[in-house]
């Protein structure tokens, strides 16, 4: 055999858009069947962030529903994204793939002891019917502070890859990297590390219609939210051990019908998991309304909850985190998930009074209140006004017709520019670009695995007699 045809189908960053999944199942099933009938080899991979707790079923099962659905398409291997890695507890991640019928590859994730947990491997060696040996490596984005807070040890991919690629290359004709690192890092991997034939990417949600070719490495990624499935087809020259004539595509999932059996399966699972979501937290005797453009009772309630949970001097949250208010009557876990679906954790920062004052002033500007946000764990639409516990200020309209913030006090005292304050807020502000001075804070503590809705449930129960 001088050459053979290989097809790779790959998914990435579904983010629990399960309405797309039945169509993805149809696409993968039809494509695999067609290729195999032609005597051509097919490999199917997922590149992480399949699970996202924004979906009620993922929330109710901590991702296990996603794994059950993934079993339907017989993945040859998968890696994990940050949504699997850092939005659930260590115990939940250790149990997530108990029922998986596919290998999970993450070469840069370890216990604090330095050992890899038993549910994952750094790589997998696969023998295809055409006698081609394929080595597949998995890597995920190293969000170290978050993994550290969950008692994991996440390592730098660039420190590990040269040795692992060498080890895999000695056993395989073809080396594939499943990379939930993002396109920029994928390009750097291709430039810096030889002997990787293909990088299948995720995390940055890029749609690479025709793929990229850098330093003899093919890079492909297929967007987000199940809009596309990636297809990479090529001839492999067995004699010269090289890829010939590759073609990369992003296949539109909506061109395929929904698999009826998968639709029925999701419906059945929904009915089974509903009692978990229907669990009652408490019954409210008065409503907690929310406003995105002015301070409101529910936003203040969350600011207090974050402050108390983190044992800080100031609580600071943006009201856009709360998508609805709470009405009088029973409050269930489904209600809290609907109004606060973000996989966002509380965080405590130590910052100077000068930085705190600048942040307060900027956060109350019209630009920030109505700023639209995408990513960073945020699943709402706009930032909303910043609401505080421990901060008071006066708002006045001056001759220029604009509102000005004056007389800022921290717990009743004048703000001291050089004093260090402990401020409880959300993790997004500690690493995203919205408030650069907060990102630069020297001391940060992430509170995990609790999400904001867990704090709301805790504070509601603690304050039940007043509500």
């Amino acid at each position: 055999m001088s050459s053979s045809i290989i097809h790779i189908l790959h998914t990435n960053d579904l983010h629990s858009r399960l309405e797309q999944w039945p169509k993805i199942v149809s696409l993968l099933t039809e494509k695999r069947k067609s290729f195999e009938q032609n005597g051509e080899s097919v490999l199917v991979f997922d590149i992480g962030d399949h699970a996202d707790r924004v979906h009620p079923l993922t929330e109710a099962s901590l991702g296990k529903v996603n794994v059950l659905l993934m079993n339907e398409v017989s993945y040859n291997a998968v890696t994990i994204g940050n949504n699997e890695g850092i939005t659930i507890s260590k115990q939940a991640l250790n149990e997530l793939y108990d029922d998986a019928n596919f290998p999970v590859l993450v070469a840069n994730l370890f216990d604090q002891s330095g050992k890899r947990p038993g549910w994952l491997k750094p790589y997998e060696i696969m023998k295809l019917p055409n006698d081609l040996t394929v080595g597949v490596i998995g890597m995920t984005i190293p969000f170290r502070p978050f993994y550290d807070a969950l008692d994991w040890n996440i390592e730098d991919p660039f420190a590990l890859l040269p040795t692992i690629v060498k080890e895999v290359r000695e056993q395989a004709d073809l080396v594939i990297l499943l990379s939930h690192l993002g396109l920029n890092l994928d390009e750097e991997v291709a430039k810096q590390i030889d002997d990787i034939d293909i990088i299948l990417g995720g995390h940055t949600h890029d749609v690479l219609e025709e793929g990229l070719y850098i330093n003899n490495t093919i890079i492909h990624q297929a967007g987000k939210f199940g809009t596309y499935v990636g297809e990479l087809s090529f001839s492999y020259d067995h004699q010269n051990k090289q890829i010939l004539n590759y073609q990369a595509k992003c296949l539109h999932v909506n061109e395929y019908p929904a698999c009826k059996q998968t639709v029925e399966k999701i419906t059945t699972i929904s009915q089974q998991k509903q009692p978990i979501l229907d669990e009652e937290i408490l019954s409210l005797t008065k409503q907690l309304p929310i406003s995105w453009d002015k301070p409101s009772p529910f936003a203040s309630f969350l600011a207090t909850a974050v402050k108390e949970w983190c044992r800080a001097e100031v609580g600071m949250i943006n009201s856009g985190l709360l998508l609805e208010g709470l009405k009088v009557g029973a409050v269930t876990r489904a209600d809290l998930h609907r109004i606060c679906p973000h996989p966002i954790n509380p965080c405590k920062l130590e910052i100077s009074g000068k930085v705190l004052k600048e942040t307060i002033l900027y956060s109350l500007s019209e630009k920030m209140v109505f700023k639209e946000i995408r990513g960073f764990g945020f699943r709402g639409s706009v930032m909303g006004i910043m609401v505080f516990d421990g901060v008071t200020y006066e708002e006045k309209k001056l001759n220029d017709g604009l509102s000005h913030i004056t007389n800022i006090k921290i717990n009743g005292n004048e703000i001291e520019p050089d004093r260090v304050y402990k401020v409880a807020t959300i993790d997004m502000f500690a690493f995203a670009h919205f408030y650069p001075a907060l990102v630069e804070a020297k001391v940060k503590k992430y509170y995990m695995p609790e999400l904001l809705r867990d704090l709301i449930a805790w504070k509601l129960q603690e304050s039940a007699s007043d509500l």
Side-chain angles (χ1 to χ4, degrees), residues 95-339:
E95 298 172 354
L96 178 57
Y97 297 99
D98 283 351
D99 298 319
N101 63 9
F102 47 80
V104 183
L105 311 179
V106 194
N108 61 327
L109 183 63
F110 303 84
D111 286 322
Q112 289 290 353
S113 65
K115 296 181 179 179
R116 290 190 177 92
W119 54 270
L120 65 76
K121 301 177 179 180
Y123 61 84
E124 183 87 345
I125 304 297
M126 306 172 185
K127 190 81 168 181
L128 301 187
N130 58 17
D131 290 331
L132 185 71
T133 303
V134 180
V136 185
I137 305 165
M139 284 284 177
T140 196
I141 189 76
F143 286 155
R144 186 178 296 277
F146 298 95
Y147 280 103
D148 284 348
L150 290 167
D151 203 28
W152 290 110
N153 181 23
I154 191 82
E155 293 290 346
D156 177 6
F158 290 89
L160 299 179
L161 269 172
T163 299
I164 293 174
V165 170
K166 184 173 184 276
E167 185 177 331
V168 171
R169 176 58 74 182
E170 290 172 353
Q171 306 172 65
D173 302 306
L174 195 69
V175 177
I176 299 173
L177 174 64
L178 309 183
S179 166
H180 198 88
L181 300 177
L183 183 57
N184 289 341
L185 291 183
D186 289 345
E187 291 176 345
E188 287 304 310
V189 169
K191 292 173 184 176
Q192 296 182 31
I193 300 170
D194 294 330
D195 277 340
I196 300 175
D197 298 292
I198 296 168
I199 298 175
L200 303 176
H203 185 55
T204 46
H205 303 171
D206 292 281
V207 180
L208 302 181
E209 293 280 6
E210 299 177 354
L212 299 175
Y213 192 73
I214 299 175
N215 192 27
N216 297 317
T217 300
I218 302 166
I219 302 175
H220 200 213
Q221 189 177 151
K224 63 180 179 179
F225 301 161
T227 303
Y228 304 98
V229 164
E231 178 183 314
L232 180 63
S233 301
F234 54 90
S235 298
Y236 185 80
D237 183 337
H238 291 264
Q239 183 174 353
N240 295 309
K241 295 186 177 296
Q242 62 181 347
I243 291 173
L244 304 173
N245 306 318
Y246 82 87
Q247 183 178 32
K249 300 177 184 176
C250 291
L251 305 173
H252 287 268
V253 167
N254 287 341
E255 295 178 2
Y256 290 78
C259 173
K260 292 181 180 179
Q261 291 90 341
T262 303
V263 172
E264 292 171 0
K265 185 170 187 175
I266 292 174
T267 300
T268 300
I269 293 173
S270 297
Q271 294 167 349
Q272 294 170 344
K273 296 299 180 185
Q274 194 58 43
I276 297 173
L277 298 168
D278 286 341
E279 180 188 344
E280 185 175 320
I281 305 300
L282 87 167
S283 185
L284 284 178
T285 59
K286 56 185 178 182
Q287 64 177 346
L288 279 173
I290 185 66
S291 171
W292 291 347
D293 61 358
K294 58 181 180 293
S296 58
F298 198 8
S300 297
F301 178 90
L302 180 54
T304 298
V306 171
K307 174 187 171 184
E308 292 179 357
W309 186 268
C310 298
R311 298 184 179 183
E313 298 168 89
V314 171
M316 180 176 76
I317 65 101
N318 56 301
S319 57
L321 290 163
L322 298 169
L323 308 189
E324 301 175 27
L326 285 176
K327 298 177 182 179
V328 172
V331 177
T332 66
R333 294 209 174 272
D335 294 325
L336 297 188
H337 181 264
R338 186 182 67 256
I339 65 176

Side-chain angles (χ1 to χ4, degrees), residues 351-355 415-421:
I351 58 176
S352 69
K354 178 183 177 182
V355 167
I415 191 167
E416 300 176 43
D418 297 326
R419 186 191 153 187
V420 173
Y421 292 90

